Amino acid sequence: MVTIVVRYFASARAATGLDEEKVTLPDGARVADAVARLRELHPEKLAKLLDAVSYLLDGVAVRDLTRPLTEGAELDVLPPFAGG
């Protein structure tokens, strides 16, 4: 098992009511597995946002959701931001 820290920002924080939470996943889990688990943990409000958000894994933008997760990794959930 690996435990990661998921940090929520802006509307994702509002949807979960959390700044961050620890999520435990099976060994060999990937970012897509974490996203699926977040849908299960927060099926109402967050699940709708997850199709539009961006992710950072340990501070690096993730476009490939097959990237593996390691123990203690930080996954940031970043909703689209308005403004400029």
Side-chain angles (χ1 to χ4, degrees), residues 11-69:
S11 58
R13 179 183 292 150
T16 62
L18 301 169
D19 291 331
E20 67 180 40
E21 68 181 317
K22 291 185 178 182
V23 176
T24 301
L25 299 158
D27 286 333
R30 302 188 177 276
V31 173
D33 300 315
V35 173
R37 182 71 180 122
L38 296 178
R39 286 184 194 283
E40 293 171 358
L41 291 171
H42 307 283
E44 294 180 22
K45 296 180 183 177
L46 183 64
K48 296 173 188 174
L49 289 175
L50 291 176
D51 293 330
V53 301
S54 299
Y55 301 97
L56 298 179
L57 181 59
D58 293 327
V60 177
V62 174
R63 296 197 184 2
D64 179 4
L65 298 184
T66 65
R67 289 206 30 213
L69 298 169

